[in-house]
Amino acid sequence: MAVMLMKVSCAVFLLVVYMGLLTPEVEAVTCGQVVGSVAPCLGYLRNGGAPPQRCCNGVRGLRNAARTTGDRKTICNCLKSASSSYRGVSGNYAASLPGKCGVNLPYKISPSTDCNRIQ
């Protein structure tokens, strides 16, 4: 009886470990991902016009990746930082980008946006 209990316990333990290995980890959004997503938008952000489809796909991908408040704050802070580090980026074009791509963001892309207030 003790041997049977030991075998069942080992089987349950291995099953729990195996299931833990199959469970995907949730990763937070990184600034590298944010910059990579909006890199195809640089031409639009500098010159206006119509943003390319790759740009809009990146903006849409960021919106979809922003599952938590922390993700949304990270994306906001990374966009603010990136917009000030690239020369020639127009604040007006940056603010209008989500709308041009048909994407609703819960905040304005602007250096004046307080990312800490984002929920």
Side-chain angles (χ1 to χ4, degrees):
M1 182 77 129
V3 173
M4 179 70 148
L5 182 59
M6 181 73 110
K7 286 182 180 180
V8 170
S9 296
C10 284
V12 169
F13 174 77
L14 291 174
L15 181 62
V16 169
V17 169
Y18 182 71
M19 293 305 290
L21 293 174
L22 292 179
T23 305
E25 289 186 33
V26 176
E27 294 185 24
V29 176
T30 66
C31 277
Q33 291 170 316
V34 173
V35 171
S37 294
V38 297
C41 303
L42 274 177
Y44 167 78
L45 293 171
R46 289 181 174 142
N47 305 311
Q53 190 61 43
R54 284 184 53 218
C55 166
C56 290
N57 290 344
V59 173
R60 213 170 283 109
L62 285 178
R63 185 210 48 218
N64 294 339
R67 293 187 179 118
T68 67
T69 299
D71 288 339
R72 288 185 286 278
K73 287 181 179 181
T74 296
I75 292 169
C76 176
N77 281 312
C78 293
L79 288 173
K80 281 178 64 170
S81 175
S83 70
S84 65
S85 62
Y86 288 101
R87 285 198 155 148
V89 170
S90 163
N92 290 333
Y93 293 147
S96 67
L97 178 61
K100 291 266 189 175
C101 289
V103 175
N104 183 24
L105 291 182
Y107 52 86
K108 182 179 176 183
I109 299 176
S110 165
S112 63
T113 299
D114 183 357
C115 296
N116 291 321
R117 298 189 67 159
I118 292 174
Q119 299 296 315

